[in-house]
Amino acid sequence: MAAEIVNPRSDRDSDSDMGQDGGAEPLDSFDPAFALHRGGKMAVQATVPVRDKDDLSLAYTPGVAKVCSAIAEQPELVHDYTWKSSVVAVVTDGTAVLGLGDIGPEASLPVMEGKAILFKQFGGVDAVPIALDCTDVDEIVETVVRLAPSFGGVNLEDISAPRCFEIERRLQERLDIPIFHDDQHGTAVVTLAALRNAARLSGRSLGSLRAVISGAGAAGVAIARILVDAGIGDVAVADRKGVVSGDRDDLTSVKRELAGFTNKAGISGSLEAALEGADVFIGVSGGTVPEPAVASMAEGAFVFAMANPNPEVHPDVAHKYAAVVATGRSDFPNQINNVLAFPGIFAGALQVRASRITEGMKLAAAEALASVVGDDLAADYVIPSPFDERVAPAVTAAVAAAARAEGVARR
């Protein structure tokens, strides 16, 4: 039996939800976000009928026993006769939720539900939100490993750094299904796609660009890695204490590794110092970059200030100095939005039953996403809209092809 995640709209009585004092107006009365979220944003819907005893005997006992016995004898049949190969677990511990921080598993559920319906709407992939009431790395890994038989892939979401790196690595070592931390890799794929098009617009190659990333957390590290893999000229990453470089003695293991494959120029000191003469600024940290630092960048620079809700460089300031400006917000052009990547990446991986998502698959996703823009390329259009219906099919096809080329596809 398969199932489909849907966005239910029932006849729930909102008037029954009174305030804590028993008499206050429901929150729905004041804010449409609460009205939309009432009762949750998703449900499970059967895709086979159960209208009579014959249907019941096929969908459940005794008919289901034949299928169970066949799977027990040939475990690979689980992919053909259950929903396993078309469903993703969206797993969080609630420690790094959007810009809200460590708000706990219950408070993270609206976001995880939202992620699940985006999987379905933009990639045709079913997804189940799972909020774990634990933050210990070992406990999270063991829990997900035990849940894995039910799923074709795992999307890790809103887990704080640096734990997210180890959790992803250990899960991929133990499981033969795709493990993907979207805060890292989804952001990286979309950023690379936008940067490819910005470079194309200006007649430059990635290899001619020097980039500076503000933020050495999950997104910053993943962006740096994919830019290096894609052939960026150079990239330096700055955290709160300045540029991550090998001469610092306060680096975590993740940042020591980061220092090993970035910053070929050997820059040290502040973010502002690193920006002088830089071609690209990528912000995934919050805070504010002083305008003089933006003004010191190279002529025709690109500013991708992606913090939400307040970009590190406001677009009005960035446009004074930059040829291309992108943010993480939907009310400005060139939104760097993960929904452009993760639905198609998982759809492609699941389509071929990939055992993992490789660096080559991510690069292929970025290339496909960039290509959707095509001849419409402009300074205010270096990345397509999430509602562009060409996006998910293009990414899906590219990821599936890359999985086959890299030998991780199983069909």
Side-chain angles (χ1 to χ4, degrees):
M1 176 177 176
E4 179 182 3
I5 291 177
V6 298
N7 186 355
R9 289 272 70 95
S10 70
D11 58 354
R12 306 178 186 104
D13 180 8
S14 63
D15 291 336
S16 65
D17 181 27
M18 307 305 287
Q20 292 183 347
D21 63 1
E25 286 291 316
L27 293 170
D28 301 22
S29 301
F30 303 101
D31 192 322
F34 284 94
L36 182 142
H37 282 77
R38 172 170 292 280
K41 299 191 291 290
M42 55 182 287
V44 174
Q45 177 176 297
T47 59
V48 296
V50 185
R51 299 162 298 195
D52 52 36
K53 67 182 181 63
D54 292 333
D55 288 345
L56 181 61
S57 69
L58 287 174
Y60 200 53
T61 186
V64 73
K66 297 178 182 179
V67 181
C68 293
S69 297
I71 294 172
E73 293 178 7
Q74 301 179 61
E76 283 301 303
L77 291 178
V78 70
H79 298 286
D80 298 312
Y81 295 105
T82 73
W83 78 339
K84 178 181 172 73
S85 281
S86 61
V87 66
V88 170
V90 181
V91 178
T92 189
D93 63 358
T95 55
V97 181
L98 299 178
L100 304 173
D102 185 354
I103 59 175
E106 289 86 359
S108 76
L109 269 177
V111 178
M112 301 309 114
E113 288 182 4
K115 198 80 172 189
I117 66 174
L118 295 180
F119 263 111
K120 187 65 176 180
Q121 176 160 339
F122 293 102
V125 174
D126 291 312
V128 177
I130 298 175
L132 302 179
D133 189 15
C134 61
T135 58
D136 179 78
V137 170
D138 291 337
E139 291 182 357
I140 291 173
V141 170
E142 292 301 324
T143 301
V144 175
V145 166
R146 283 162 173 73
L147 290 169
S150 297
F151 300 99
V154 176
N155 185 93
L156 299 173
E157 189 76 18
D158 292 349
I159 299 173
S160 63
R163 295 174 311 117
C164 60
F165 301 109
E166 183 179 359
I167 290 168
E168 183 186 45
R169 176 184 60 78
R170 287 172 56 181
L171 285 173
Q172 193 61 82
E173 287 172 353
R174 294 184 59 179
L175 298 173
D176 65 347
I177 58 176
I179 310 296
F180 187 82
H181 184 211
D182 185 51
D183 298 327
Q184 292 184 61
H185 310 300
T187 307
V189 165
V190 182
T191 301
L192 173 58
L195 187 56
R196 280 193 180 281
N197 276 338
R200 179 164 71 94
L201 180 67
S202 64
R204 288 179 280 179
S205 66
L206 284 177
S208 69
L209 303 177
R210 179 171 73 85
V212 177
I213 299 173
S214 175
V221 171
I223 292 170
R225 186 177 297 278
I226 202 170
L227 292 185
V228 169
D229 289 343
I232 192 82
D234 196 9
V235 56
V237 183
D239 62 13
R240 291 183 180 87
K241 297 183 179 179
V243 175
V244 175
S245 58
D247 59 357
R248 283 177 48 180
D249 59 7
D250 60 345
L251 300 180
T252 64
S253 59
V254 171
K255 292 180 182 178
R256 282 197 298 273
E257 182 182 359
L258 179 65
F261 67 85
T262 61
N263 195 17
K264 292 187 295 186
I267 298 169
S268 60
S270 67
L271 169 71
E272 290 81 1
L275 281 175
E276 186 172 354
D279 302 293
V280 184
F281 168 76
I282 298 171
V284 284
S285 65
T288 300
V289 177
E291 184 171 343
V294 181
S296 74
M297 295 178 68
E299 185 178 353
F302 312 139
V303 172
F304 292 4
M306 301 188 296
N308 268 314
N310 300 311
E312 295 88 349
V313 183
H314 192 279
D316 291 344
V317 174
H319 279 297
K320 295 180 184 179
Y321 311 102
V324 175
V325 177
T327 72
R329 288 173 48 154
S330 60
D331 53 346
F332 292 108
N334 295 328
Q335 183 191 20
I336 308 297
N337 191 328
N338 290 12
V339 77
L340 290 162
F342 69 81
I345 289 174
F346 266 102
L350 293 175
Q351 185 180 96
V352 298
R353 291 184 193 164
S355 59
R356 62 192 303 113
I357 294 173
T358 66
E359 296 305 312
M361 292 160 73
K362 297 170 200 172
L363 289 171
E367 183 69 31
L369 180 56
S371 70
V372 170
V373 171
D375 294 336
D376 295 324
L377 181 64
D380 61 354
Y381 185 57
V382 297
I383 199 74
S385 162
F387 297 99
D388 188 323
E389 294 181 355
R390 299 171 297 171
V391 168
V395 174
T396 298
V399 168
R404 292 190 177 101
E406 300 208 336
V408 296
R410 290 176 288 195
R411 71 172 179 187

